[in-house]
Amino acid sequence: MASSSLTTHFHPSVLQKDQNIPTQFIWPKEELVQTKEELNEPMIDLAGFFHGDVAATAAAAEQLRAGCEKHGFFQVTNHGVDEELIRAAQDEMDSLFKLSVDKKVSLQKMPGSLWGYSGAHSDRFSSNLPWKEMFSFQYDHGSAPEELLVVDYFNNVVGKEFEKTGLVYQKYCEAMKKLSLALFQLLAISLGIDREHYKKFFEDGSSIMRCNYYPACNEPNLTLGTGPHCDPTSLTILHQDQVGGLEVFSNNKWQSVRPRPNTLVINIGDTFMALSNGRYKSCLHRAAVHKGKERRSMVYFVNPKKDKVVKPPQDLVDQKGEKIKRKYPDFTWSKLLGFTQKHYRADDTTLQSFCHWLLTNKD
Ligand SMILES: C=C1C[C@]23C[C@H]1CC[C@H]2[C@]1(C)CCC[C@@](C)(C(=O)O)[C@H]1[C@@H]3C(=O)O
Ligand SMILES: O=C(O)CCC(=O)C(=O)O
Ligand SMILES: [Fe+2]
């Protein structure tokens, strides 16, 4: 066990193999209801959309609409992200999570910041700790490609020996941005609004790239890799390895999302739910862990520029002169992010709690 105290530098991966899991990681029984059902649709093939095929685009938009209205979730194939790049990004994760505890501690993210290493959020929470280690960094959509800000982050913060890791993630984030802007066009088409609306809104956005490493766990039925939540962000592009563990809550039950090669999972987040005036649901999901098997996921969270006002397009709130009731107040991503980092642990009702907080904290 690491010499440092459990609460500040706990790393699940340093647990002795034969040890029961510490009470901080044991979740309430009601959060641990198991499931054997699967949710694997809609699976949207983007090839026709990328080729500009009108009928294929309309069909993809219809599939996407059904998935987003029901459970804020869909999956994509032929997404244009090079498989070798995904494999390389996954391989680079191992070099990060195999670092020594002391190096991990030196990369530990600062309170209130999202960037850097976190072991089970043990610096932020003292119960219901998620059984995972994370490494998160920023990707600015607005930065010029030649700026290589991700490469700089790895070179200057993580260490010169991680230059290759930085180059791989620089390319991965650029590919994620490109896919996200295409998906925003398809989302706009599915909502019947100007195809460029959301793409323009996010072009100068800023995203969070997060690598999740879920160590094998001796008592997987007592804990969770990531607890039940809706991503407070706008759109999530998730790559999970072939181990399995992602679950979506839909039709009043938890359903596992079977990993498939060359497939990316797309979740609607709270901010996009507000941008669609509630037409699309923020996806309630969680991640399970396994005995004897570790698991990895790479999650790209898309956000608008921090100070941009988040509100639905006029066409969604004023349809042929009929005023549609606004579901959420105007807010900025900066405010919502700050709420989740300083006041509230994101869960299944973050947006509702945030709106209440916003309206009762006028300052
Ligand atoms: C804005 C964010 C906060 C979290 C990372 C991004 C989007 C997802 C959020 C999170 C994963 C939701 C579950 C709880 C959380 C604390 C976690 O388990 O990591 C959340 C992230 C965070 O606050 O770091
Ligand atoms: O690892 C997973 O499958 C889910 C992770 C997740 O939901 C998150 O990091 O927000
Ligand atoms: Fe999530």
Side-chain angles (χ1 to χ4, degrees):
M1 171 65 78
S3 53
S4 53
S5 74
L6 196 57
T7 50
T8 49
H9 299 311
F10 187 85
H11 305 277
S13 54
V14 299
L15 265 184
Q16 301 311 319
K17 293 288 169 271
D18 57 358
Q19 189 167 353
N20 294 337
I21 70 173
T23 47
Q24 292 92 322
F25 286 89
I26 298 176
W27 285 66
K29 281 199 177 12
E30 57 271 21
E31 300 283 16
L32 296 166
V33 175
Q34 300 294 309
T35 177
K36 287 288 166 273
E37 302 215 15
E38 288 192 356
L39 174 67
N40 295 305
E41 293 301 327
M43 181 73 74
I44 304 173
D45 182 333
L46 295 177
F49 166 64
F50 282 128
H51 289 132
D53 180 306
V54 173
T57 298
E62 182 47 33
Q63 280 184 286
L64 181 151
R65 189 191 56 72
C68 293
E69 281 180 349
K70 260 190 298 195
H71 29 247
F73 154 93
F74 59 97
Q75 300 181 86
V76 292
T77 57
N78 289 321
H79 40 63
V81 182
D82 180 76
E83 277 316 302
E84 279 315 304
L85 177 57
I86 294 176
R87 200 186 326 279
Q90 215 174 359
D91 291 348
E92 292 307 323
M93 270 182 76
D94 290 341
S95 61
L96 289 173
F97 292 109
K98 286 195 166 50
L99 287 171
S100 69
V101 174
D102 289 343
K103 177 69 178 169
K104 286 177 179 178
V105 170
S106 73
L107 295 171
Q108 189 123 7
K109 65 186 195 58
M110 291 300 120
S113 161
L114 265 162
W115 316 133
Y117 174 85
S118 172
H121 291 310
S122 55
D123 58 316
R124 289 168 67 188
F125 312 125
S126 51
S127 65
N128 298 353
L129 291 187
W131 191 265
K132 64 177 173 182
E133 296 180 80
M134 295 147 275
F135 195 86
S136 309
F137 51 92
Q138 182 175 7
Y139 177 70
D140 253 334
H141 292 193
S143 61
E146 62 276 9
E147 282 185 270
L148 298 183
L149 296 180
V150 173
V151 175
D152 292 346
Y153 175 77
F154 277 86
N155 267 340
N156 304 334
V157 178
V158 186
K160 273 253 171 282
E161 68 276 26
F162 283 92
E163 180 161 26
K164 179 180 167 261
T165 306
L167 282 164
V168 169
Y169 282 125
Q170 178 78 39
K171 286 196 181 72
Y172 186 82
C173 289
E174 285 162 9
M176 288 294 114
K177 172 191 168 183
K178 187 173 169 220
L179 174 58
S180 71
L181 294 180
L183 291 173
F184 283 124
Q185 286 183 308
L186 207 50
L187 282 159
I189 293 167
S190 75
L191 285 164
I193 63 166
D194 167 19
R195 165 180 187 137
E196 298 305 307
H197 177 81
Y198 293 126
K199 181 170 180 276
K200 283 184 202 144
F201 187 76
F202 285 96
E203 253 163 4
D204 60 353
S206 169
S207 291
I208 302 162
M209 176 69 205
R210 173 168 283 188
C211 299
N212 291 314
Y213 171 69
Y214 301 99
C217 180
N218 284 339
E219 298 172 287
N221 295 335
L222 294 181
T223 188
L224 286 168
T226 298
H229 70 281
C230 299
D231 296 335
T233 46
S234 290
L235 197 67
T236 301
I237 304 176
L238 181 144
H239 177 274
Q240 59 170 332
D241 67 14
Q242 294 304 301
V243 171
L246 173 63
E247 296 177 4
V248 167
F249 191 79
S250 180
N251 297 330
N252 277 323
K253 53 183 180 270
W254 285 104
Q255 301 179 70
S256 54
V257 178
R258 178 193 298 220
R260 283 184 162 81
N262 310 340
T263 301
L264 294 172
V265 175
I266 314 296
N267 285 345
I268 298 292
D270 288 336
T271 302
F272 194 85
M273 180 160 72
L275 284 167
S276 71
N277 198 38
R279 278 274 301 277
Y280 288 173
K281 300 287 160 261
S282 183
C283 177
L284 177 54
H285 57 289
R286 69 183 187 185
V289 290
H290 306 280
K291 191 174 177 66
K293 272 191 295 185
E294 59 191 16
R295 177 175 176 261
R296 295 165 184 76
S297 70
M298 297 187 293
V299 199
Y300 184 84
F301 299 110
V302 189
N303 307 297
K305 202 168 176 194
K306 278 192 166 181
D307 54 357
K308 260 189 184 174
V309 176
V310 172
K311 59 181 183 183
Q314 202 48 34
D315 288 357
L316 286 186
V317 289
D318 179 353
Q319 284 174 351
K320 300 188 187 64
E322 188 210 340
K323 292 274 181 242
I324 312 277
K325 189 173 176 314
R326 282 285 305 271
K327 290 267 173 61
Y328 309 98
D330 290 1
F331 61 90
T332 63
W333 167 238
S334 171
K335 275 274 188 192
L336 176 52
L337 178 61
F339 180 67
T340 69
Q341 299 306 301
K342 296 174 195 141
H343 307 291
Y344 188 91
R345 178 173 179 174
D347 57 15
D348 57 336
T349 57
T350 309
L351 188 58
Q352 294 82 333
S353 307
F354 170 66
C355 292
H356 176 73
W357 176 81
L358 202 60
L359 298 173
T360 49
N361 285 274
K362 273 299 167 215
D363 56 346

